Amino acid sequence: MSLVITELPTSSPLFPLKPSTMSTSSPPPSAPIAQPGGFLPNLTTPFSPPPSSVASSLASTTLPRTRTQPLRLGSSKESGFINYVDKGILNVNRRYTKKFSGEGGDSDGRRGADGRVGGVKEVKGYESFREAGRDLERLVDIVWVSGTPSLQIPYLLSLALLTTSYLPAFQPAPRTMFRLLRKLDFAFASLLQGRDIDTGDALPGFEGGSGRVSTTEKVRIKGVVERTRVSVVEIMRKGEIEEEEDDDTAGETGDEMVEDIDFDEGFEVQGAEKWEMEIARVYDRTLVELGETMGGEAETAGL
């Protein structure tokens, strides 16, 4: 049975988002359909560099608080989570595809009184990466909330791949792009370590050595990370940056759970040098963890 949603919800009734601050010209080819499946030192001296050089480095990445226990395999909550995220990814893919297609719907284009074409509710194609990035970010939040490594790792890989695939199709939207990438970076680095990369607390599902990221998954993460870093450099060279006005996105979407979170903290406009720093920091924490974990495995194997 195919399930389609026409608007991506901002939080799931099964997994409400509870705020928790953690530091941290020709159409492109169609994006793949996702399957479920330079830190700055502590500034303790009275001499601090100009704000423009450290603002984005000190900005916090906000992710919702995870569940304390992973979802039980085969449980109704696990099924509900999978259905919810799958529908969200389907909706994101439909909106991205609609950007490059003509009028959607069935072959004869008949539209019902309820706005449905061919029995399917019409969706509006993305007009900017700001829109696409917000939908992807909400899915990242939901996946993180699950606290289930067996679901977090494959879904985050899928969302990271979609992000990289979508970026070249839009005018650069640095605020949205770097905020989303920082969240993904924090999530991957923490999962690779099995602990919250800032607090050191063990993540749900990693107790007793379980839930570890496999070597195959590490290779996939590394590939997405390297591809994204190259892509970000290329798109930022375009020069024309989308204007992203400050707005209350939580108010627009009705997500009362996250309306008090300042997602733009540290993104004050301070010149081009800020973006250069952000470009250099794309997935930097994940790269560090990959180097340590994959390097250790190579030594163990005698390579």
Side-chain angles (χ1 to χ4, degrees):
M1 179 175 64
S2 176
L3 298 175
V4 179
I5 59 173
T6 58
E7 181 178 358
L8 183 63
T10 57
S11 64
S12 164
L14 292 174
F15 310 98
L17 302 185
K18 299 179 181 179
S20 174
T21 301
M22 304 176 186
S23 296
T24 68
S25 40
S26 58
S30 299
I33 300 298
Q35 299 297 328
F39 296 102
L40 294 172
N42 184 24
L43 304 178
T44 57
T45 69
F47 304 100
S48 299
S52 61
S53 66
V54 300
S56 36
S57 294
L58 299 181
S60 64
T61 296
T62 304
L63 281 169
R65 185 178 301 114
T66 64
R67 291 169 48 90
T68 57
Q69 296 292 330
L71 297 170
R72 186 166 53 85
L73 181 65
S75 66
S76 59
K77 283 193 174 183
E78 184 194 51
S79 298
F81 169 84
I82 292 173
N83 288 335
Y84 181 85
V85 178
D86 284 351
K87 289 193 294 184
I89 290 176
L90 175 61
N91 184 71
V92 168
N93 272 300
R94 289 185 64 216
R95 292 195 63 187
Y96 177 79
T97 302
K98 188 68 177 289
K99 169 181 170 63
F100 304 106
S101 64
E103 295 185 3
D106 56 5
S107 57
D108 60 12
R110 290 176 295 179
R111 185 187 303 273
D114 60 354
R116 293 177 180 268
V117 178
V120 177
K121 183 72 173 179
E122 282 288 85
V123 296
K124 181 181 179 182
Y126 289 125
E127 296 181 356
S128 66
F129 185 77
R130 186 185 184 192
E131 295 178 351
R134 266 193 292 194
D135 282 353
L136 289 167
E137 186 177 326
R138 290 173 190 142
L139 286 171
V140 170
D141 288 344
I142 291 294
V143 171
W144 183 253
V145 165
S146 72
T148 309
S150 61
L151 296 172
Q152 289 172 314
I153 297 167
Y155 272 124
L156 287 172
L157 270 166
S158 294
L159 293 170
L161 178 59
L162 288 178
T163 299
T164 305
S165 301
Y166 290 178
L167 283 173
F170 300 95
Q171 187 176 359
R175 286 175 182 256
T176 300
M177 175 178 67
F178 289 124
R179 185 175 63 236
L180 172 58
L181 291 176
R182 285 189 307 183
K183 284 192 173 188
L184 286 166
D185 186 29
F186 177 90
F188 281 134
S190 295
L191 288 167
L192 285 165
Q193 193 177 104
R195 296 179 176 274
D196 182 304
I197 198 170
D198 290 324
T199 67
D201 296 335
L203 296 177
F206 284 87
E207 299 84 354
S210 61
R212 291 181 179 176
V213 182
S214 70
T215 301
T216 300
E217 289 167 333
K218 290 175 184 177
V219 171
R220 291 187 62 199
I221 292 172
K222 187 173 185 289
V224 173
V225 165
E226 291 176 344
R227 176 180 167 187
T228 303
R229 287 172 64 87
V230 171
S231 181
V232 168
V233 171
E234 291 176 347
I235 67 169
M236 290 301 289
R237 284 177 179 169
K238 293 180 179 179
E240 298 180 1
I241 294 177
E242 177 187 342
E243 293 186 9
E244 299 177 87
E245 298 179 359
D246 294 333
D247 63 353
D248 185 2
T249 56
E252 291 178 357
T253 61
D255 185 2
E256 299 176 356
M257 300 301 296
V258 295
E259 63 184 358
D260 294 328
I261 298 176
D262 183 8
F263 286 112
D264 287 330
E265 180 183 352
F267 278 120
E268 294 83 359
V269 177
Q270 299 185 21
E273 65 274 10
K274 177 194 65 174
W275 300 133
E276 293 176 3
M277 177 173 287
E278 288 293 336
I279 291 171
R281 287 171 54 85
V282 170
Y283 282 127
D284 61 343
R285 309 179 89 176
T286 301
L287 284 173
V288 170
E289 293 301 320
L290 283 170
E292 293 181 356
T293 58
M294 297 183 77
E297 290 170 0
E299 290 179 5
T300 301
L303 300 178

